[in-house]
Amino acid sequence: MIYGLIAMLGWGIGNFSAAQLSRKIGALRAMLWNTIGVFTLMVLALPFLKQGFLLASWRDFFLLVTGGLLLTIGGVSYYKGVSLGKVSLVAPLAASWPMIIVLIALSSGKEIVSITNGLGVSLIVIGTIAAALKTRSSEKVFRLSDPGIGYALVALFAWSGAFYLFAITLTSSAWLPANVFFMLWASIFTYLYSKLRQVKIPFPPTRTAIQYILLSTVSATIASLAYSLGVRSSQTSLTAAAANANPAITVLLAWIFLKEWLTKRQLGGIIAVMSGLILLAV
């Protein structure tokens, strides 16, 4: 549970910072800086955590290549979405990929959760959806009201697939090398895509951009490592459910710092997410 909470805070802060970076220097540039930054931090952590650099099998290698490609597709969509739409809407929906992992883990029948934990998971899922959707003022129906929502949906499913494949490798390979290779391939695919689009990456970045790069990469790195440890040491469904609450952090930061207006439904969703976290801790 504690690993899931760390991942929640890390990804919540990281997604908010990444969104701000995207608006400062452009979507693809922000993604490239963030991806390479996380990869670099993980490589630097290898000697301190005394883990090797090898994977357990070629199966894990190819799973991480595919996962890295999906991570890139999700990242491109996410950064494009937050550059076009409201952070408080796009980020929560895109960052809700742990919800899909929770549903897969529970539907497989391999994990059994208590009634209390099951209610907590349900509240987090419902709350996350409520935080990401708005309603028409004149009609009691949902609508995808933001131009970035379509990109958020692509990111949601791409990241779900990426982290599902990544979780499979954690059953056999050490968690840190798996993270390193995961981010290595994401960095390579992102760089190739930037070359294909002929996007120039200015170096060095501005002082403001450096601040957002550091905040987003450090937060995302801590979140990724915590999530990996949680998947290996605890039930995947509970760890992913706790991590799934990270959009609430992003929404709150957007409300506090960007003054983005929130509906009563979104505020209710945040309360539901927090209630679900309390039930998971019981």
Side-chain angles (χ1 to χ4, degrees), residues 2 50 56 65 68 122 135 149 155 181 190 209 234 266 271:
I2 186 64
K50 298 180 180 180
V65 172
S122 300
T135 55
I149 290 294
F181 276 95
T190 303
S234 181
Q266 288 177 299
I271 294 174

Side-chain angles (χ1 to χ4, degrees), residues 25-273:
I25 65 175
L28 191 54
R29 294 183 181 92
M31 180 183 171
L32 186 60
W33 276 114
N34 194 55
T35 306
I36 293 177
V38 173
F39 168 71
T40 302
L41 290 176
M42 289 182 176
V43 170
L44 293 175
L46 279 172
F48 295 99
L49 297 177
K50 298 180 180 180
Q51 294 197 25
F53 196 73
L54 298 178
L55 299 173
S57 65
W58 281 103
R59 183 208 67 163
D60 288 353
F61 175 82
F62 288 112
L63 285 176
L64 291 172
V65 172
T66 306
L69 177 59
L70 290 173
L71 190 65
T72 303
I73 293 173
V76 170
S77 299
Y78 172 76
Y79 281 95
K80 185 66 174 179
V82 294
S83 67
L84 295 176
K86 289 178 64 176
V87 175
S88 58
L89 289 176
V90 177
L93 183 57
S96 297
W97 59 263
M99 175 179 64
I100 309 297
I101 304 298
V102 170
L103 296 177
I104 294 175
L106 294 178
S107 64
S108 66
K110 296 180 180 179
E111 294 189 12
I112 300 176
V113 298
S114 66
I115 295 177
T116 302
N117 286 339
L119 180 58
V121 171
S122 300
L123 282 174
I124 291 174
V125 171
I126 294 172
T128 300
I129 294 174
L133 295 177
K134 301 184 73 174
T135 55
R136 299 180 189 270
S137 58
S138 60
E139 302 176 35
K140 299 299 181 180
V141 295
F142 285 114
R143 69 186 178 104
L144 299 179
S145 58
D146 193 270
I149 290 294
Y151 293 100
L153 290 172
V154 174
L156 168 66
F157 290 105
W159 281 345
S160 299
F163 280 94
Y164 176 73
L165 297 178
F166 172 69
I168 294 176
T169 67
L170 293 178
T171 61
S172 54
S173 294
W175 58 273
L176 186 52
N179 271 282
V180 169
F181 276 95
F182 191 41
M183 295 309 302
L184 169 63
W185 285 107
S187 299
I188 291 174
F189 287 127
T190 303
Y191 176 76
L192 292 176
Y193 182 72
S194 67
K195 297 296 288 184
L196 180 65
R197 293 292 304 273
Q198 297 182 341
V199 175
K200 295 182 179 180
I201 310 299
F203 185 86
T206 64
R207 179 176 299 181
T208 302
I210 290 176
Q211 293 175 349
Y212 283 122
I213 290 171
L214 289 175
L215 185 57
S216 63
T217 54
V218 172
S219 299
T221 301
I222 293 174
S224 297
L225 298 182
Y227 179 79
S228 302
L229 289 171
V231 169
R232 293 204 66 169
S233 63
S234 181
Q235 288 185 308
T236 299
S237 59
L238 297 185
T239 301
N244 187 65
N246 77 83
I249 304 299
T250 305
V251 169
L252 287 174
L253 291 175
W255 178 51
I256 294 172
F257 294 103
L258 303 182
K259 309 301 180 183
E260 291 191 354
W261 177 74
L262 301 178
T263 66
K264 293 181 179 179
R265 187 182 303 278
Q266 288 177 299
L267 292 175
I270 294 174
I271 294 174
V273 166

